[in-house]
Amino acid sequence: MKVKDSNPPDGGYGWVVVVSAFMVMGLTAAVLKTFGLFFVEIQQHFDELASTTSWITSVTIAIFHLGAPVASSLCVRYTHRAVAITGGLLAFLGMALGFLGLNMVWMYATTGFLQGLGISFSWTSAISIVSHYFSKKRALANAIASAGECAFAFTFGPFFQWLISQYGWKGALLIIGGIQLNICVCGVLMRPLASSCLLEASYSETETPPGSGASMIDKEDKSPITHKTFNWMLVRRPEFVLYAIFGILAAMSFFVPPLFLVPLSYSLGIDESWTASLLSILAMVDFAGRLLCGWYANLHVTKTVHLLTMTITLISTSLMLLPLANNYLSLAIFTGFYGFFFGTTVAVHITVLADVVGMPDFDSALGLFMLIRSTGGFVGPPLAGLIVDMAGDYRAGFYMAGATLVLSAGFLVTLDQLQQRKERGSQTNIKPEKSTLPYPSLHLLKLQ
């Protein structure tokens, strides 16, 4: 096998894949983010309690996470293109069948289950194939792709509201489903890469130039080119376990601020119109944070796990300071800091996962990571709500989120120390072999 076939192109057609992934992020995660606009309409139509109606979104989020290992396994077995197209069709069916609006159970099965499965398949395959196409520029590529979520969420809010006012919530669902069919077009553009489950070919990290003889042949011999089955054994690797625990703790925190930001602003006596602008600020600075962090990570000035640790620390600091706000201006400033650093974290956390497990196991790792991380997303908001009820103050939820992020940063530090120890160990083992290479004549003298 030639080296050029196993080395990600880091550009070229890869940028078409990035644009496709950007669109998929917008047509999946952004739709999920703004689906709350349908909440009151559906609740009033079926005359149900808020808790009953909220299960539509809960089912969608649950299936989005639980379907990730299935999506990753299918990417390994077939292609990212096939999984993305399937996801687009499922997302369309979920919305189109939801248009019928037969009863609440029907909504759970359509806009809940089918939509969630479609989002899971499309999102997982899109974010995965971007990492396969890039190595040195992986952080920048992932940042641009993930920014689609922010860009679309910013415009979908007023657009969905207009659709509901013009065509009713049922008509709006059908139109949005039609728009989501564009995921299939994006999937077609995700051309499979030769040897899509690649060996770890990052010369910037190994400092081994392409075609450098024995060391490169060694890598190709020792590293599997493809995995035909989903690798469940990743849960036995300490590095992956540490990163998965970080993911659980981070997810416990990330879902809390958007949940309590609006109620906190109301408790401060801020007008509703000004409160809505906080969400727009959050989306804009999140977008900027993703792109800027992706650009910085692409410079390779800072190790990605170090960069992630710094961004997590800065998010936790922002969350600890946010409750100190006592008016709209201060709340907007702290919200901006939180949104920016959240964007920087999202920009690099998938890249760190790829660095931790290596590209041959990345598809399996992404599915498992999403599955394990989902527990944090389920536990975090109810736990924060319990703390808020006990304290009688929305500020307590932000303190809880900040403290949990500080704890998650500790696992990143432990992960980095483990990786450094392994690197030092591997360098020690290589040194004796290297020391004999410059002096082949000594062996000849001994033989004589």
Side-chain angles (χ1 to χ4, degrees):
M1 180 179 172
K2 296 179 182 179
V3 174
K4 65 180 181 180
D5 291 332
S6 62
N7 192 26
D10 261 319
Y13 191 81
W15 294 116
V16 176
V17 174
V18 169
V19 173
S20 299
F22 178 93
M23 298 291 292
V24 170
M25 295 301 108
L27 295 171
T28 55
V31 170
L32 182 57
K33 265 187 174 182
T34 51
F35 193 77
L37 292 169
F38 291 86
F39 185 89
V40 176
E41 301 290 335
I42 295 174
Q43 182 187 5
Q44 291 177 350
H45 178 82
F46 291 107
D47 192 22
E48 293 283 357
L49 297 173
S51 57
T52 304
T53 309
S54 65
W55 273 104
I56 297 175
T57 304
S58 297
V59 170
T60 309
I61 295 173
I63 298 302
F64 169 50
H65 286 90
L66 295 175
V70 179
S72 294
S73 181
L74 291 174
C75 286
V76 172
R77 184 67 181 83
Y78 300 103
T79 63
H80 298 83
R81 170 186 280 171
V83 177
I85 293 172
T86 303
L89 293 173
L90 287 171
F92 164 72
L93 280 175
M95 289 296 197
L97 293 175
F99 161 78
L100 300 176
L102 301 181
N103 51 51
M104 193 58 73
V105 175
W106 179 263
M107 299 305 294
Y108 296 157
T110 55
T111 56
F113 181 84
L114 285 177
Q115 177 71 195
L117 195 62
I119 288 175
S120 182
F121 278 28
S122 305
W123 187 95
T124 304
S125 57
I127 206 70
S128 175
I129 195 170
V130 169
S131 293
H132 281 295
Y133 261 90
F134 290 84
S135 177
K136 294 179 182 178
K137 298 177 182 177
R138 187 176 295 148
L140 178 61
N142 278 324
I144 294 172
S146 69
E149 177 185 335
C150 307
F152 278 71
F154 184 75
T155 56
F156 273 176
F159 177 58
F160 286 4
Q161 194 68 61
W162 180 80
L163 286 178
I164 293 170
S165 65
Q166 294 294 315
Y167 304 101
W169 68 270
K170 290 185 178 181
L173 285 182
L174 185 60
I175 293 171
I176 293 168
I179 294 172
Q180 284 184 307
L181 277 174
N182 286 288
I183 294 173
C184 299
V185 179
C186 297
V188 171
L189 295 174
M190 294 176 186
R191 187 170 68 196
L193 191 62
S195 300
S196 59
C197 288
L198 299 166
L199 57 85
E200 187 71 22
S202 179
Y203 299 111
S204 62
E205 294 176 5
T206 60
E207 297 181 359
T208 306
S212 61
S215 61
M216 193 60 219
I217 295 170
D218 243 4
K219 274 193 169 186
E220 292 186 350
D221 288 341
K222 293 178 183 177
S223 300
I225 302 303
T226 59
H227 286 299
K228 295 297 181 185
T229 58
F230 193 86
N231 187 7
W232 294 97
M233 291 299 101
L234 284 169
V235 295
R236 301 175 66 177
R237 290 174 56 176
E239 298 95 332
F240 178 77
V241 172
L242 286 169
Y243 197 68
I245 296 173
F246 153 75
I248 293 172
L249 294 170
M252 285 178 64
S253 305
F254 288 160
F255 289 95
V256 173
L259 187 65
F260 294 120
L261 182 60
V262 172
L264 176 62
S265 66
Y266 287 158
S267 68
L268 294 175
I270 297 173
D271 186 74
E272 289 185 12
S273 58
W274 287 103
T275 298
S277 68
L278 291 175
L279 300 178
S280 299
I281 293 171
L282 199 61
M284 287 189 293
V285 295
D286 184 356
F287 181 82
R290 296 187 193 211
L291 294 183
L292 285 174
C293 187
W295 168 79
Y296 178 78
N298 190 55
L299 299 177
H300 301 289
V301 176
T302 307
K303 193 176 177 181
T304 51
V305 68
H306 294 167
L307 184 58
L308 181 59
T309 305
M310 285 189 288
T311 60
I312 287 293
T313 304
L314 290 169
I315 290 179
S316 62
T317 304
S318 302
L319 289 176
M320 292 290 192
L321 293 174
L322 193 145
L324 300 178
N326 54 11
N327 54 47
Y328 172 79
L329 180 60
S330 57
L331 188 60
I333 291 172
F334 287 128
T335 298
F337 279 119
Y338 161 73
F340 180 82
F341 294 127
F342 175 79
T344 60
T345 298
V346 174
V348 295
H349 81 289
I350 295 296
T351 303
V352 175
L353 177 63
D355 294 340
V356 168
V357 301
M359 285 313 299
D361 286 317
F362 177 72
D363 288 316
S364 300
L366 181 60
L368 281 174
F369 180 73
M370 288 291 291
L371 176 64
I372 296 170
R373 190 184 72 169
S374 67
T375 58
F378 297 146
V379 173
L383 178 61
L386 178 63
I387 293 173
V388 167
D389 289 338
M390 293 173 61
D393 191 341
Y394 289 111
R395 292 179 176 87
F398 292 93
Y399 289 131
M400 169 263 177
T404 308
L405 281 177
V406 171
L407 183 60
S408 73
F411 283 92
L412 288 178
V413 173
T414 306
L415 169 64
D416 182 48
Q417 293 298 316
L418 179 61
Q419 286 181 317
Q420 288 185 22
R421 193 180 305 121
K422 286 194 172 184
E423 287 173 7
R424 286 194 295 267
S426 62
Q427 288 172 2
T428 304
N429 293 333
I430 292 171
K431 278 182 181 178
E433 296 176 8
K434 284 187 175 180
S435 62
T436 60
L437 291 177
Y439 306 105
S441 57
L442 293 178
H443 299 287
L444 296 174
L445 288 172
K446 285 181 181 179
L447 290 173
Q448 292 174 354

